[in-house]
Amino acid sequence: GVGKNGDVFFFKQKTAYEIKECDWSSDVCSSDLAASASLLVIQTGNDVMEPAAVSQSGAQQGLMPTYEKLITTARVLEGALRYVAPEDRVDMADVPRKEWPKVLQRNLSADTDHFTNIIEIEYLSKDPGAAVSVVNAVVQSYLDFMEETHKGTAGRFIEVLEKEKTKLTERLRVK
């Protein structure tokens, strides 16, 4: 998706895979299934050869931890739940509805590789289909949140400009 501020988000889903955790002293293993996705965040709109583009790249690099943290916020996770089909809520069975975002948060990770604009998102689940569904839902909710945030910022900016325009028009009419 493309954010209104020029940030571009590319999403690549990886297949579900199995993670086993074993207690070697008792020979007991538990198994979780995980799905992951890579989210690439890039700045567009400037000539990449311009000095301003280089400084923006550094500024964006500084924002990557913020983008990463947003993925696991209650707001994004609540939004993600709208996209998760009832049959894919296997990890939330027998958990009160108000606790569902906490279940997602516990099973979700978002990490940025140092000096990259790639966020790795992973969700551990009891079911491979549920893991994939939740990762897709979280990515979609994150993109929705970013678009909504940028639209809100742009809307406020336009409102300020409209007020300034009205004031300037009035001043010109008086002269």
Side-chain angles (χ1 to χ4, degrees):
V2 178
K4 296 299 179 193
N5 70 342
D7 291 334
V8 178
F9 303 96
F10 294 97
F11 166 55
K12 179 184 177 195
Q13 179 182 322
K14 298 177 185 173
T15 57
Y17 53 92
E18 188 171 11
I19 297 175
K20 287 189 177 180
E21 293 180 18
C22 297
D23 176 358
W24 300 110
S25 63
S26 66
D27 230 10
V28 174
C29 290
S30 67
S31 179
D32 280 324
L33 297 164
S36 66
S38 298
L39 190 65
L40 173 64
V41 181
I42 59 173
Q43 180 74 33
T44 61
N46 285 332
D47 182 350
V48 294
M49 301 306 283
E50 288 182 25
V54 174
S55 67
Q56 283 182 356
S57 175
Q60 183 179 5
Q61 189 73 87
L63 288 174
M64 290 307 293
T66 302
Y67 292 144
E68 176 186 317
K69 182 74 175 163
L70 283 170
I71 291 170
T72 59
T73 61
R75 173 106 183 255
V76 169
L77 297 180
E78 278 289 343
L81 287 167
R82 293 184 319 222
Y83 295 108
V84 179
E87 63 270 15
D88 291 327
R89 296 180 187 151
V90 296
D91 302 313
M92 293 157 249
D94 303 321
V95 175
R97 169 66 178 88
K98 68 180 181 175
E99 299 295 319
W100 289 3
K102 289 180 185 174
V103 171
L104 291 182
Q105 196 170 44
R106 239 187 339 265
N107 295 340
L108 185 71
S109 67
D111 296 301
T112 304
D113 289 331
H114 201 55
F115 298 115
T116 72
N117 289 356
I118 299 172
I119 303 172
E120 294 291 334
I121 302 165
E122 182 178 77
Y123 184 78
L124 300 176
S125 179
K126 299 171 189 170
D127 178 84
V132 170
S133 177
V134 169
V135 166
N136 287 336
V138 168
V139 169
Q140 186 58 57
S141 179
Y142 173 77
L143 295 175
D144 292 349
F145 173 80
M146 294 302 287
E147 183 176 349
E148 179 184 312
T149 300
H150 295 308
K151 279 184 180 177
T153 302
R156 286 189 296 278
F157 184 66
I158 289 170
E159 189 177 300
V160 168
L161 289 176
E162 288 291 333
K163 286 180 182 177
E164 280 298 311
K165 177 184 167 193
T166 303
K167 287 179 186 177
L168 288 172
T169 303
E170 187 60 35
R171 275 195 238 159
L172 289 172
R173 200 174 330 148
V174 171
K175 290 184 178 186

